Amino acid sequence: MIELENVSVRFEGRRVLQDLNLALTEKRIGVIGLNGSGKSTFARLLNGLQLPTEGAVTVGGMDTAKSGKDVRRQVGFVFQNPENQIVYPIVREDLAFGLKNLGLAKADIPVQVERALERFRLQHLIDRRTHELSGGEKQMIALIGVAVMNPRLIVMDEPTTLLDLRNKRRLMQAVSDMEQSVVMITHDLDLLSAFDRVLCFHEGRLFDDGAPEAVIARYQQVCEEC
Amino acid sequence: MLSTYQETGSVLHGIRAGWKLLFLVVLGSALFWFERLDLIVVSLACVMMLYRLARFSLATLWDQVRPALLLLVIIFLAQIFLTSPEYAVLIVARFAALILAAALVTLTTPTSEMVAAIEACLKPVRRWVPIEKVSLALSLAIRFIPVIVSITHEVREAQRVRGLDRSLFAVAMPVIIRTLKMGDQIAEALDARSFENSGDGK
Ligand SMILES: Nc1ncnc2c1ncn2[C@@H]1O[C@H](COP(=O)(O)OP(=O)(O)OP(=O)(O)O)[C@@H](O)[C@H]1O
Ligand SMILES: [Mg+2]
């Protein structure tokens, strides 16, 4: 569904990603790599928040540089920092925001919001002030705010950093129940064991690509050597 | 407006936000229309009574005036010198009544209802005013002002644990930088959740 052709990204002349050629068709794709290796930049390419300096990224045949808006309807994105993606003061309103943008009928929105919270067993948060949520709760709400919009692919940038064990399990359960495709960046290597494919980045290059066990094993080995 | 809402389950909490805003407009106009001390003092007393009706304590009432206290004192003293003591009392009572009434409305109305009521008020002029955007802007303000306040606390604490005591400049710089960065990220998040940016799709 997503294709990258000779993609490079440069910030002020510094190469952050180079020569990526990839076709992403699997339903569960993990992304790993050291800090600063380019994972977040790669993720942002997938929905056109970041445009390639060279090459092209296409989503379902659409070029992200040309049809950013349509791409973003298909590719949901959960950012590394939940604080700035929750934009309404009350949980219920925030979850309704994306649905309104999709043009859903006003009457249908509350049902969808409740159903989404139920799926993560977080119904009790519905009337809470978003400012007062704990870090992990914010992270879950940010994720649900995207999941509720039902995009075809959800990109998650380290979605479990603030979660306790219970919410981490709920999140992974929800991920494995989802019909949508998922691309998940994480430093929590255990989470990826059931994934279809794992990409490993190193200094802006695709360093490794394949089945989770093999890729993770090589990554751990390389990390120990250096 | 900034999430001061307190649930006590009183009658006032049950009244529609639109009526409360209307009440505020009418009371405000009346207070400034009539230059009569007796009427103004009666209004002030009535507003205070409404606090009791809303089941708020005297402490809550006091909390609402306190931030404006210094200003009220300055106005009072200025009016004594410039006009007469009687007029000074009138002016201060007028402002106090208005502040208390406005605070009462925010105390008894959830912000979401307030935003919805304002949206409804704007309906007749929707051809000239982008209602969706006004309401998003209001919500963003309500959502992020507390965040900026906590950023300020965080910065101050981070500096204090590293031995830097109060310096306005030292606090202001990181707060401004972080706020700008936050603005960028919020804009991206709105984009990522398909908020229509006036339809031109940058
Ligand atoms: N807007 C930007 N301007 C300049 N440099 C940037 C920008 N965004 C990212 N970079 C640089 O690109 C490199 C890759 O960053 P990226 O955020 O993609 O790393 P990452 O793999 O997600 O790291 P982490 O695991 O720490 O989240 C870093 O060296 C970073 O400093
Ligand atoms: Mg990152």
Side-chain angles (χ1 to χ4, degrees), chain A residues 44 83-84 86 93-94, chain B residues 112 143 185 188 193 196:
Chain A
R44 292 156 52 81
E83 185 75 78
N84 298 338
I86 299 177
E93 300 165 349
D94 189 74
Chain B
S112 53
R143 158 80 182 97
Q185 290 186 1
E188 272 197 342
R193 285 166 81 189
E196 300 286 330

Side-chain angles (χ1 to χ4, degrees), chain A residues 39-40 80 157-158 185:
Chain A
K39 303 180 298 296
S40 295
Q80 219 166 339
D157 195 348
E158 303 189 29
I185 301 178

Side-chain angles (χ1 to χ4, degrees), chain A residues 44 49 69 72-73 79 81 83-89 93-94 97-98 101-102 129-131 145 149, chain B residues 3 5 112 136 139-140 142-144 146-147 150 182 185-186 188-196 199 201:
Chain A
R44 292 156 52 81
L49 283 177
K69 207 195 277 177
R72 284 190 277 280
R73 291 205 164 203
F79 294 81
N81 175 3
E83 185 75 78
N84 298 338
Q85 52 191 314
I86 299 177
V87 293
Y88 272 80
E93 300 165 349
D94 189 74
F97 172 68
N101 294 341
L102 291 183
R129 282 183 204 152
T130 49
H131 174 59
M149 293 173 72
Chain B
S3 68
Y5 177 67
S112 53
L136 178 68
S139 301
L140 283 176
I142 295 162
R143 158 80 182 97
F144 284 102
V147 177
S150 13
M182 184 170 93
Q185 290 186 1
I186 296 166
E188 272 197 342
L190 292 176
D191 234 7
R193 285 166 81 189
S194 297
F195 185 71
E196 300 286 330

